[in-house]
Amino acid sequence: MREPYTFDPALARRLWREGGYPAERPLRLWAPGPGLADYPPEIGDLVRSYLEGAGFKVELTTQSRGIEEAMRNGAADLVISVWVGDYPGGDAYLSPLYPSTVAGPAGNDGAYANPEVDRLIDASRHALDPARRAALLRQADSVVFEDAVAVPLWFTHSATAYSLRLAGWGRDPQMSRFTHLGLAGGGMP
């Protein structure tokens, strides 16, 4: 278990200056609008308050569409987005988001590029030994975390309850969502 990022306003301001962000321009934060199930409607205001608490001027844009595109085309400096691992593999959170080869609409919306991450992810995809593959993915994850490419705000857990009479549902909800469900012994399809 790693330690989470700390709230360090002085460090944030120093890194922002060193990164060359214009001090006179507000930080452009884009957040999803109300009605998206994955977000509480106040998430944009909450993140803005943290950034303002760190001394940044913040311009908040709230809308339900085009958030990732705003990051890609430079209209946003930060976006609040969601990622759900859509397959039960060790690289479900790394390969779609962080290699430089998927910069832009392919998944890496912020165009993050780190040759070490690219090398580790590529090596993990060629590793035949599961332990070696897991070690390479852990190393890539550590580099991504250290670079603070994305700051996870929360993680959700899913719980599934179903009737023993439900047919077509397996133990793996990832795979079962693609099957046809029905009540065992007749009933509704």
Side-chain angles (χ1 to χ4, degrees), residues 94-155:
L94 292 170
S95 294
L97 300 175
Y98 302 116
S100 60
T101 56
V102 296
N108 182 348
D109 293 315
Y112 170 69
N114 184 318
E116 180 68 0
V117 170
D118 289 345
R119 184 191 68 74
L120 289 165
I121 290 174
D122 186 56
S124 77
R125 292 199 150 180
H126 293 91
L128 299 178
D129 175 33
R132 173 78 178 132
R133 183 169 191 266
L136 290 164
L137 290 170
R138 277 193 298 277
Q139 288 175 334
D141 180 66
S142 292
V143 174
V144 167
F145 182 83
E146 187 65 31
D147 286 350
V149 178
V151 178
L153 300 176
W154 69 86
F155 295 92

Side-chain angles (χ1 to χ4, degrees), residues 3-187:
E3 289 296 315
Y5 298 115
T6 58
F7 184 68
D8 188 337
L11 175 62
R13 288 189 300 274
R14 181 178 61 81
L15 292 173
W16 212 251
R17 278 192 312 274
E18 289 174 6
Y21 192 85
E24 67 283 354
R25 190 176 91 202
L27 181 62
R28 299 167 303 170
L29 169 65
W30 282 47
L36 292 179
D38 296 330
Y39 300 100
E42 304 82 13
I43 191 64
D45 291 324
L46 177 66
V47 172
R48 178 178 57 195
S49 71
Y50 276 112
L51 292 167
E52 289 174 344
F56 295 100
K57 292 181 272 182
V58 179
E59 177 185 288
L60 175 62
T61 300
T62 303
Q63 64 184 60
S64 296
R65 301 252 186 264
I67 291 175
E68 286 83 6
E69 179 63 28
M71 185 69 146
R72 286 191 297 270
N73 70 23
D77 300 307
L78 297 171
V79 298
I80 298 173
S81 187
V82 66
W83 178 255
V84 176
D86 52 355
Y87 58 91
D91 66 350
Y93 296 94
L94 292 170
S95 294
L97 300 175
Y98 302 116
S100 60
T101 56
V102 296
N108 182 348
D109 293 315
Y112 170 69
N114 184 318
E116 180 68 0
V117 170
D118 289 345
R119 184 191 68 74
L120 289 165
I121 290 174
D122 186 56
S124 77
R125 292 199 150 180
H126 293 91
L128 299 178
D129 175 33
R132 173 78 178 132
R133 183 169 191 266
L136 290 164
L137 290 170
R138 277 193 298 277
Q139 288 175 334
D141 180 66
S142 292
V143 174
V144 167
F145 182 83
E146 187 65 31
D147 286 350
V149 178
V151 178
L153 300 176
W154 69 86
F155 295 92
T156 59
H157 294 280
S158 296
T160 304
Y162 56 93
S163 168
L164 295 177
R165 295 181 2 186
L166 188 60
W169 186 261
R171 291 180 181 259
D172 180 2
Q174 286 293 104
M175 299 309 292
S176 296
R177 68 185 175 153
F178 300 113
T179 63
H180 181 74
L181 302 177
L183 291 177

